[in-house]
Amino acid sequence: MFIDKIKDLAKAYKKTIVLPETDDLRTLQAAETIMREGFADIILLGKKDEIIKLGKDNGITLDGCNFADALTCEHTTGLGEQLYELRKAKGMTLEQAQELIRTDSLYYGAMMVKTGVADGMVAGAVRSTADVMGTALKVVKTAPRVNVVSTCFMMVMPNQNAAASNFGSNGVMAFADCALNQNPDAAQLAEIAVSTAGTFAALTGEEPLVAMLSHSTKGSAKHNDIDKVTEALRLAQEKAPTLKIDGELQLDAAIIPSIGQKKAPGSEIAGKANVLVFPDLDAGNIGYKLAERLGGASALGPVTQGLAKPVNDLSRGCSADDIVGTVAITVLQAR
């Protein structure tokens, strides 16, 4: 139901998303679904005849999709020149830039996003996270006043579990960072919190209530790790003065009202949090997988945040439906 809501919202904006991994059937299946449901325009990278044939041979119709072949497209030379301007300070030559545009669909797609030919890109069904995110950071770069690119998972609690569906905002929560930043310092953790709040608001339309998680609640323990979380809270409040955020909070104090009232009386976040910011990647990755595997939650993402324009990475084990959902999310981020 959450993804259906995302798709309905995306239809109002209908941005153009580039899919570079067109030798993968899941990508083509996703493109067919997206065109049928009408919430995005799609650009498929590669030789049009070969892509259409691959789809047709597997019962996939790609009517309405746009196609771009780096070897023949009118944009290729200009994109190569602009990539060179972006990367020449790092030692890239014009010849190397032109070659990357012609031979690496990630660079071609990322430059289409950079220059406004497309509004966002989704990849990673075939290529690694290092390839997808490395290209995005080199080409699209970070948004203004953002120093940390991070990720979050949108966690959708199972409807059949009445207790779980009361968590967050109608059973929807954001967990961060669960996929990218190994051990963020206080300043990085603050940026992750602010970025995730923005992602949650954009994708749900609800006000984010952010909990900075720890093994301590409001000084119940003392440790340098706790000091990092409380400093991150202070920095986040400076960066986003109107954001509703609190910490340090244990998980139960963050999401269960009765415990929140007991452990953190007076907190406007305790017991009501819909955005959970974990202190490091170990905690975040373990936390979202516990919610998914033991709690039955659906984990949508990772959603990349902090880039100047949206580029989202897929798991190489993703399904066509995962790609469809990620494209819908990317459309909303492109607003």
Side-chain angles (χ1 to χ4, degrees), residues 255-290:
I255 65 173
I256 299 175
S258 60
I259 297 177
Q261 292 170 9
K262 181 179 180 180
K263 290 188 174 183
S267 171
E268 64 178 346
I269 303 300
K272 297 179 288 186
N274 51 32
V275 175
L276 303 182
V277 179
F278 293 83
D280 57 39
L281 186 58
D282 287 334
N285 193 269
I286 293 166
Y288 102 80
K289 287 182 177 177
L290 279 172

Side-chain angles (χ1 to χ4, degrees), residues 37-317:
E37 297 185 356
F39 61 82
D41 291 320
I42 294 296
I43 301 175
L44 298 173
L45 299 189
K47 296 182 184 298
K48 180 178 180 179
D49 291 346
E50 293 180 3
I51 297 169
I52 290 175
K53 183 179 185 303
L54 177 60
K56 186 176 181 181
D57 289 347
N58 289 275
I60 301 168
T61 301
L62 299 171
D63 294 343
C65 291
N66 299 298
F67 297 84
D69 181 356
L71 298 179
T72 59
C73 183
E74 61 184 12
H75 297 296
T76 297
T77 299
L79 293 179
E81 292 170 350
Q82 291 179 76
L83 177 60
Y84 165 67
E85 291 297 325
L86 282 174
R87 301 298 297 169
K88 64 182 180 181
K90 299 294 185 180
M92 183 178 288
T93 66
L94 178 58
E95 292 74 18
Q96 289 171 331
Q98 296 283 20
E99 181 70 9
L100 277 173
I101 292 295
R102 286 193 298 268
T103 62
D104 191 325
S105 62
L106 288 182
Y107 273 91
Y108 187 29
M111 282 302 300
M112 294 179 87
V113 175
K114 177 73 173 181
T115 59
V117 177
D119 299 301
M121 181 171 78
V122 173
V126 178
R127 302 286 292 274
S128 69
T129 295
D131 286 344
V132 175
M133 296 313 302
T135 302
L137 287 168
K138 291 172 185 174
V139 174
V140 178
K141 301 185 182 294
T142 57
R145 298 178 299 280
V146 171
N147 298 310
V148 179
V149 172
S150 60
T151 67
C152 75
F153 278 88
M154 299 302 296
M155 306 298 297
V156 184
M157 304 304 154
N159 287 331
Q160 65 270 26
N161 186 332
S165 64
N166 289 326
F167 293 139
S169 178
N170 298 314
V172 178
M173 307 182 76
F175 287 17
D177 183 344
C178 305
L180 196 58
N181 291 281
Q182 182 67 49
N183 189 20
D185 61 24
Q188 293 169 328
L189 199 60
E191 289 220 21
I192 291 167
V194 174
S195 292
T196 308
T199 298
F200 182 85
L203 298 184
T204 67
E206 302 290 339
E207 182 178 27
L209 303 173
V210 184
M212 306 295 287
L213 297 183
S214 173
H215 66 275
S216 167
T217 295
K218 297 296 184 179
S220 63
K222 303 293 182 184
H223 193 275
N224 290 340
D225 289 347
I226 301 168
D227 295 339
K228 180 182 81 168
V229 174
T230 56
E231 175 63 6
L233 171 66
R234 185 186 70 79
L235 293 172
Q237 290 170 326
E238 286 185 357
K239 188 175 182 68
T242 62
L243 178 62
K244 291 184 178 180
I245 182 171
D246 201 3
E248 84 279 16
L249 294 170
Q250 292 165 298
L251 177 64
D252 56 357
I255 65 173
I256 299 175
S258 60
I259 297 177
Q261 292 170 9
K262 181 179 180 180
K263 290 188 174 183
S267 171
E268 64 178 346
I269 303 300
K272 297 179 288 186
N274 51 32
V275 175
L276 303 182
V277 179
F278 293 83
D280 57 39
L281 186 58
D282 287 334
N285 193 269
I286 293 166
Y288 102 80
K289 287 182 177 177
L290 279 172
E292 181 182 33
R293 301 301 180 182
L294 296 185
S298 297
L300 308 177
V303 179
T304 307
Q305 46 197 25
L307 291 170
K309 294 183 178 182
V311 175
N312 278 310
D313 177 42
L314 300 160
S315 164
R316 279 175 282 180

